[in-house]
Amino acid sequence: YYPKAIMASVTNNNPTYKGSANQNFRVLAGYIFGSNKSNDKIAMTAPVHMQMNNGKSTMSFVMPEGYS
């Protein structure tokens, strides 16, 4: 049994893994370092999920418990 997970995700059209990983990570890092709606700093979690489909890449952080 795995509990439900909430993820913060970003998607872009960069066609390379390295380029998209760097770009997506910067956006997500800004989000967890306080550049979010409530200006909260959020603990970084592991693992980070990376998926590439049809020329688009998505990176997701699993949010700590208590976020919705």
Side-chain angles (χ1 to χ4, degrees):
Y1 168 76
Y2 294 99
K4 232 165 77 169
I6 302 295
M7 303 182 65
S9 300
V10 64
T11 300
N12 72 35
N13 294 324
N14 193 313
T16 67
Y17 179 86
K18 185 175 181 178
S20 62
N22 288 335
Q23 187 176 359
N24 288 346
F25 184 83
R26 283 193 301 271
V27 172
L28 285 175
Y31 180 79
I32 67 170
F33 294 145
S35 186
N36 54 60
K37 190 175 185 177
S38 58
N39 297 318
D40 287 340
K41 291 185 180 181
I42 302 166
M44 185 179 291
T45 62
V48 173
H49 299 265
M50 183 78 173
Q51 183 176 4
M52 296 192 76
N53 285 324
N54 301 321
K56 293 184 179 183
S57 66
T58 301
M59 180 180 281
S60 304
F61 287 169
V62 176
M63 298 294 287
E65 190 174 352
Y67 286 89
S68 58

